[in-house]
Amino acid sequence: MQEALKKLCELQEIDSEVSEFKRKLTEIPEKKRISEEKIKKIDGEVQELKEILKNKELQRDAHERDIQQTRMNLSKHKTQLLSAKTNKEYSTLLKEIEWEEKSVERAEEETIMNIMEVEKFPKELEEKKKELEDTIKRETKEMKNLAKQKNDLEKEIKKKRLERENIASHVSFSQLMTYERIRKGRGKAIAFVEGNMCTGCHTILPPQFISQIRGKNKIYTCEECGRILVWHEDVK
Ligand SMILES: [Zn+2]
């Protein structure tokens, strides 16, 4: 029986390791998603800046065309002023000219501000593109790393499965079934007895029962948590 209990402890050890590997495996898709999200976010910012820059340039060009148009009107009206036939015609043209001169002046001030504003975007865009490039480099490396981790974990799980099969072949079918049944319900099938306590559920065990467990003549289970009880020194 001692040998069987030892093997069951080894099984538990392997099962714990495999659970941990599986837990790590389940984290990988989320980590991959976060990496992809980081790239997508900065790429979105680059596209947004490109769009803003394009719009600003279009606005600037339209604005320049407007000024051009006003300048042409202005020179036309100045020529017309020279050949004005009536006072009314003269004063109307003069008002127009005045308004157009003011409007060109205002528009030119705006143009300078526009140009200054448009000029800062290419720099910002370049910086963002660089950030995107760095992020892609970094996150691609991270994703490659994750793929390798996944591969390693799967290999390790496969290896542990073989080890487990080998160990399981040394315990009887009924012992294995008992182990599996308790493991299914409790997560861990074996609890160690330390002092006078079941470490699985912290129940105090009667001294008589502890000596029976230490006798190792059969498999004993905890009345409280149902786990197979193993004297702690027996697994060292
Ligand atoms: Zn217990």
Side-chain angles (χ1 to χ4, degrees), residues 215-231:
K216 299 182 277 277
N217 293 316
K218 64 187 267 273
I219 289 182
Y220 293 96
T221 54
C222 173
E223 272 188 22
E224 196 58 37
C225 69
R227 292 185 179 94
I228 297 167
L229 292 167
V230 173
W231 180 244

Side-chain angles (χ1 to χ4, degrees), residues 7 10-11 14 162-171:
K7 291 292 171 195
E10 283 175 37
L11 273 190
I14 287 186
L162 289 176
E163 263 180 60
R164 191 186 196 281
E165 271 172 36
N166 180 34
I167 294 166
S169 70
H170 290 89
V171 289

Side-chain angles (χ1 to χ4, degrees), residues 132-192:
L132 178 62
E133 208 178 286
D134 292 346
T135 308
I136 288 174
K137 223 183 266 173
R138 195 181 58 235
E139 297 308 322
T140 307
K141 200 173 157 198
E142 168 71 6
M143 283 191 275
K144 254 188 205 165
N145 203 9
L146 287 172
K148 189 184 174 300
Q149 273 177 34
K150 183 171 180 275
N151 198 22
D152 288 350
L153 284 168
E154 282 166 349
K155 261 193 214 159
E156 206 56 40
I157 290 172
K158 230 183 227 173
K159 208 174 99 191
K160 290 285 168 194
R161 268 197 196 125
L162 289 176
E163 263 180 60
R164 191 186 196 281
E165 271 172 36
N166 180 34
I167 294 166
S169 70
H170 290 89
V171 289
S172 74
F173 183 73
S174 73
Q175 285 163 350
L176 192 61
M177 285 302 103
T178 306
Y179 173 86
E180 295 293 8
R181 179 177 47 77
I182 303 169
R183 185 166 82 102
K184 223 173 194 177
R186 291 284 171 177
K188 280 188 173 177
I190 294 167
F192 299 107

Side-chain angles (χ1 to χ4, degrees), residues 46-100:
V46 168
Q47 298 313 323
E48 205 176 305
L49 275 176
K50 276 185 183 169
E51 197 62 26
I52 293 174
L53 181 61
K54 198 177 92 189
N55 284 334
K56 294 268 178 203
E57 282 171 346
L58 286 174
Q59 264 176 29
R60 180 197 59 196
D61 295 347
H63 195 70
E64 276 167 6
R65 277 196 303 277
D66 283 351
I67 298 178
Q68 216 50 39
Q69 187 58 47
T70 312
R71 279 205 190 102
M72 272 159 65
N73 292 345
L74 188 59
S75 86
K76 192 178 83 189
H77 291 149
K78 275 181 177 166
T79 317
Q80 284 173 351
L81 191 66
L82 298 175
S83 50
K85 300 277 189 304
T86 62
N87 274 349
K88 193 171 181 292
E89 198 185 337
Y90 186 86
S91 68
T92 308
L93 278 168
L94 207 58
K95 261 184 202 158
E96 292 235 24
I97 288 168
E98 227 172 84
W99 183 85
E100 281 157 359

